[in-house]
Amino acid sequence: MFNKVIGHDTIKEYFEKILLSGNMPHSYIFQGQAGVGKMTMARAIAKNLICSSQDACNTCKDCHQFEVGTHPDIITLETTKIEEVREKVVREINIKPYQSQHKIIFIPQADTLNIQSQNALLKTIEEPPSYATIILMTANVELLLPTIRSRCLIIRFNDLSDTEMKNYFSAINYNKDKEEIYIRFSSGSIGTAQKLINDESFLTLRDESINYLNRLETADMIALYKIADELVEDKLRLVEILNFWELWYRDIMIYKTNNQAILYYPDYEGLLIDICNKLTYNKISMNLKVIQKSRIDISNNVYAMFVVENLLLDLKEKK
């Protein structure tokens, strides 16, 4: 029934019972980080509901239309504009199913709905037709109106465990020498893992970010300003490098505090230990803070060269 859903065993068990009972609640909120499996679960539920034999047989007309994306009783809200909410949800849900016994509406990224769109949705959630199931998906349920949250059953999707991520990686083709790195940077999200594997620049930029820090350690002022020039050429790349730097110093802090947490840079263990022995706890903590502040300043459109030059000077400071 849920063979495409990795992990979330408790949620699977719950929906297996609900689907068998035939007492499906009309409104759900699926909460969890992007790529953790909310839409995969929602699609599995919908396929079981619209299947002619009610078990996702994969042979009936309904299952075929579902797989190719043409089933008339499956609706996905493509944008969060008020006009589409009214057209695809408020109006469409009051039209009886065209060929199955159910009509299912998916609302991905529901937290991006503005107040007007959420209010338009509210009455539909309050009084849905008997054949309707609405599934809102969000990474931040607090951005939904309290009145919507109170009328939906909230299902929380936890991040996938390392074991579950390894099960996913074992079934796909990728550079298996980098499995531990992909698992760590995926943060329990299959969606994130897929993006990283398909992003040819990820591993390269990860290494380049550490190379910048190595260059900075021996740089004089002229070399420091050259590094700054390179970093500010691309704002998006700069933000990614700052993210890598934060995780780098996080790993150094782990060594400093004898923490047993898993590393983001296991392939740089020797260098991490060497830097850990050179830096004090306070210096590592300060580096983390200035990196975090710099990322915030960049996102707030503070002059990038000013931010980066000061950051590099702070990181190079020995104390």
Side-chain angles (χ1 to χ4, degrees):
M1 186 178 290
F2 297 111
N3 59 313
K4 291 185 178 181
V5 180
I6 296 176
H8 310 302
D9 291 340
T10 302
I11 298 175
K12 290 178 187 175
E13 291 173 7
Y14 163 77
F15 278 111
E16 285 172 355
K17 293 177 181 178
I18 288 293
L19 289 167
L20 287 173
S21 72
N23 296 318
M24 186 80 173
H26 294 294
S27 302
Y28 283 98
I29 294 173
F30 285 3
Q31 178 191 7
Q33 69 158 314
V36 79
K38 302 186 298 296
M39 179 58 85
T40 305
M41 179 69 76
R43 285 179 54 81
I45 293 165
K47 188 173 182 179
N48 275 274
L49 287 173
I50 59 94
C51 174
S52 301
S53 57
Q54 300 288 295
D55 63 355
C57 67
N58 291 319
T59 58
C60 69
K61 177 183 177 181
D62 288 300
C63 283
H64 174 71
Q65 288 181 312
F66 177 86
E67 289 299 333
V68 298
T70 59
H71 199 289
D73 296 322
I74 304 293
I75 300 167
T76 301
L77 193 65
E78 302 293 348
T79 74
T80 57
K81 294 179 179 178
I82 181 65
E83 295 81 7
E84 185 166 356
V85 172
R86 287 171 175 160
E87 178 67 21
K88 279 198 168 184
V89 181
V90 179
R91 188 190 72 83
E92 185 66 31
I93 204 167
N94 288 310
I95 301 174
K96 290 184 177 181
Y98 295 99
Q99 67 184 52
S100 68
Q101 297 179 21
H102 299 272
K103 180 169 284 190
I104 301 97
I105 296 179
F106 299 144
I107 306 180
Q109 298 179 321
D111 47 46
T112 62
L113 291 167
N114 60 30
I115 298 299
Q116 188 180 18
S117 295
Q118 290 192 46
N119 280 322
L121 183 64
L122 181 58
K123 184 171 178 59
T124 300
I125 291 176
E126 287 177 331
E127 301 174 1
S130 59
Y131 50 77
T133 299
I134 304 171
I135 303 178
L136 296 87
M137 288 157 262
T138 176
N140 189 350
V141 73
E142 298 301 322
L143 294 179
L144 296 176
L145 292 173
T147 45
I148 288 182
R149 299 200 304 265
S150 66
R151 287 162 175 77
C152 296
L153 185 59
I154 299 176
I155 305 294
R156 303 185 189 280
F157 286 71
N158 295 324
D159 298 346
L160 297 176
S161 68
D162 285 356
T163 299
E164 290 165 340
M165 292 300 296
K166 286 179 180 179
N167 290 339
Y168 165 73
F169 280 115
S170 68
I172 63 173
N173 294 319
Y174 72 105
N175 184 353
K176 296 191 182 297
D177 291 339
K178 304 296 183 180
E179 178 178 286
E180 190 172 353
I181 295 169
Y182 282 125
I183 288 175
R184 188 54 40 221
F185 279 87
S186 296
S187 300
S189 164
I190 288 175
T192 300
Q194 292 170 339
K195 290 178 182 177
L196 294 179
I197 290 171
N198 293 325
D199 182 1
E200 296 180 357
S201 68
F202 165 67
L203 293 174
T204 300
L205 188 58
R206 176 178 176 270
D207 290 336
E208 287 178 354
S209 68
I210 306 309
N211 185 48
Y212 278 122
L213 293 175
N214 289 336
R215 287 169 56 190
L216 179 63
E217 185 174 2
T218 58
D220 57 18
M221 292 305 295
I222 294 175
L224 183 147
Y225 289 126
K226 185 177 188 305
I227 294 172
D229 285 336
E230 294 174 16
L231 289 172
V232 299
E233 287 179 356
D234 185 329
K235 183 176 178 179
L236 292 178
R237 179 174 179 271
L238 170 59
V239 172
E240 290 182 18
I241 288 173
L242 294 179
N243 291 336
F244 282 125
W245 284 0
E246 181 177 359
L247 294 174
W248 175 256
Y249 282 104
R250 172 258 186 202
D251 278 6
I252 295 172
M253 182 65 82
I254 284 173
Y255 275 111
K256 199 68 176 179
T257 57
N258 295 314
N259 195 306
Q260 298 300 311
I262 299 175
L263 301 175
Y264 283 88
Y265 294 89
D267 47 335
Y268 283 93
E269 184 176 17
L271 182 57
L272 287 169
I273 294 173
D274 181 57
I275 296 174
C276 173
N277 291 332
K278 293 178 180 178
L279 301 181
T280 65
Y281 174 89
N282 287 339
K283 174 58 177 171
I284 300 168
S285 179
M286 187 275 286
N287 285 357
L288 282 166
K289 289 177 181 177
V290 295
I291 291 169
Q292 292 162 356
K293 181 181 182 302
S294 297
R295 187 174 56 231
I296 293 171
D297 288 343
I298 292 296
S299 67
N300 289 333
N301 293 316
V302 178
Y303 181 50
M305 182 60 79
F306 173 80
V307 173
V308 171
E309 286 179 353
N310 280 282
L311 170 61
L312 296 180
L313 289 169
D314 285 338
L315 293 178
K316 191 170 176 60
E317 175 65 43
K318 298 298 182 183
K319 295 182 180 180

